[in-house]
């Protein structure tokens, strides 16, 4: 685990939104702020760096100061994103407690482990539609989203914004597949 900002939880539920800098993640955050998060809830912005960026991949390096420059740049980028999104959340809903958490590991299992560890009530992930070439070739994207939906003990929602002309959101969970929420 790289960094964590925490404080005591007053009451309410814990909502975790997975942030990776993609437009889909930002749309999921905005959807969660509008439809899921309420006063006195705790919102955790989770950013998962690839496992290869972990100091565990470099056992001879024990201090963060010794991490290679590339790793520091990835961490700094993730930290800036976390602070930017935290400020956005604080502006939208000042009564909600916002935390940031940056961890390294395999995306799906790490997200599920953190949701369990933090005792999340709801996990929200951004989900993007694969491009035309990816669909034509039959390649799968966002495997971590399906993994989280199937393996997480809390309510897990994958959110995808519909096309510009139609509007609304497609919501996926264990029970709902491509549920269209017109909001």
């Amino acid at each position: 685990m790289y960094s964590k900002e925490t404080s005591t939880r007053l009451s309410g539920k814990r909502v975790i939104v997975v942030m990776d800098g993609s437009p889909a993640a930002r749309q999921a955050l905005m959807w969660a702020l509008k439809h899921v998060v309420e006063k006195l809830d705790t919102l955790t912005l989770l950013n998962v760096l690839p496992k290869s960026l972990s100091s565990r991949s470099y056992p001879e390096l024990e201090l963060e100061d010794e991490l290679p420059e590339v790793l520091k740049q990835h961490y700094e980028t993730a930290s800036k994103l976390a602070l930017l999104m935290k400020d956005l959340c604080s502006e939208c809903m000042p009564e909600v407690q916002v935390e940031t958490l940056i961890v390294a590991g395999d995306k799906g299992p790490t997200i599920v482990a953190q949701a369990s560890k933090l005792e999340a009530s709801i996990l929200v992930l951004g989900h993007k539609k694969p491009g035309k070439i990816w669909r034509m070739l039959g390649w799968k994207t966002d495997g971590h989203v399906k993994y989280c939906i199937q393996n997480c003990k809390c309510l897990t929602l994958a959110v995808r914004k519909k096309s510009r002309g139609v509007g609304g959101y497609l919501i996926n969970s264990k029970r709902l597949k491509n549920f269209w929420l017109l909001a």
Side-chain angles (χ1 to χ4, degrees):
M1 186 181 324
Y2 282 124
S3 88
K4 184 178 179 180
E5 295 180 18
T6 59
S7 56
T8 58
R9 240 168 103 182
L10 298 173
S11 65
K13 60 186 174 292
R14 178 178 296 273
V15 178
I16 296 178
V17 179
V18 178
M19 297 300 305
D20 59 9
S22 69
R26 278 179 265 152
Q27 290 166 354
L29 174 62
M30 296 311 293
W31 180 85
L33 287 171
K34 187 174 180 182
H35 297 283
V36 177
V37 179
E38 299 171 342
K39 291 181 181 180
L40 299 179
D41 285 351
T42 301
L43 176 64
T44 302
L45 304 175
L46 176 64
N47 193 334
V48 180
L49 298 177
K51 188 176 183 180
S52 60
L53 298 180
S54 167
S55 59
R56 285 177 268 145
S57 300
Y58 302 92
E60 66 279 2
L61 305 176
E62 293 183 16
L63 300 174
E64 188 174 292
D65 296 340
E66 296 176 343
L67 288 174
E69 193 62 33
V70 174
L71 302 181
K72 287 183 183 180
Q73 289 175 354
H74 281 284
Y75 175 72
E76 287 172 9
T77 303
S79 296
K80 287 177 186 176
L81 173 68
L83 290 175
L84 182 68
M85 293 298 117
K86 183 177 181 178
D87 291 342
L88 175 72
C89 294
S90 296
E91 285 179 21
C92 292
M93 298 189 80
E95 62 277 354
V96 173
Q97 182 180 349
V98 182
E99 303 173 347
T100 60
L101 179 63
I102 301 171
V103 294
D106 295 328
K107 207 165 192 177
T110 302
I111 293 169
V112 170
Q114 289 300 319
S116 260
K117 180 179 176 184
L118 297 173
E119 298 176 354
S121 303
I122 301 173
L123 173 64
V124 179
L125 301 122
H127 187 66
K128 61 185 176 192
K129 184 177 182 178
K132 289 180 182 178
I133 294 174
W134 285 80
R135 288 190 309 246
M136 284 179 11
L137 295 173
W139 294 344
K140 303 288 182 190
T141 59
D142 290 342
H144 69 282
V145 172
K146 288 183 182 177
Y147 180 88
C148 292
I149 288 172
Q150 295 302 318
N151 296 303
C152 200
K153 292 182 175 122
C154 67
L155 174 61
T156 304
L157 301 171
V159 178
R160 184 177 93 199
K161 190 160 178 64
K162 285 287 279 182
S163 64
R164 292 181 199 144
V166 179
Y169 295 89
L170 277 179
I171 311 295
N172 285 303
S173 69
K174 279 185 184 176
R175 294 188 182 102
L176 298 173
K177 302 294 181 212
N178 292 327
F179 175 75
W180 184 18
L181 176 66
L182 187 58

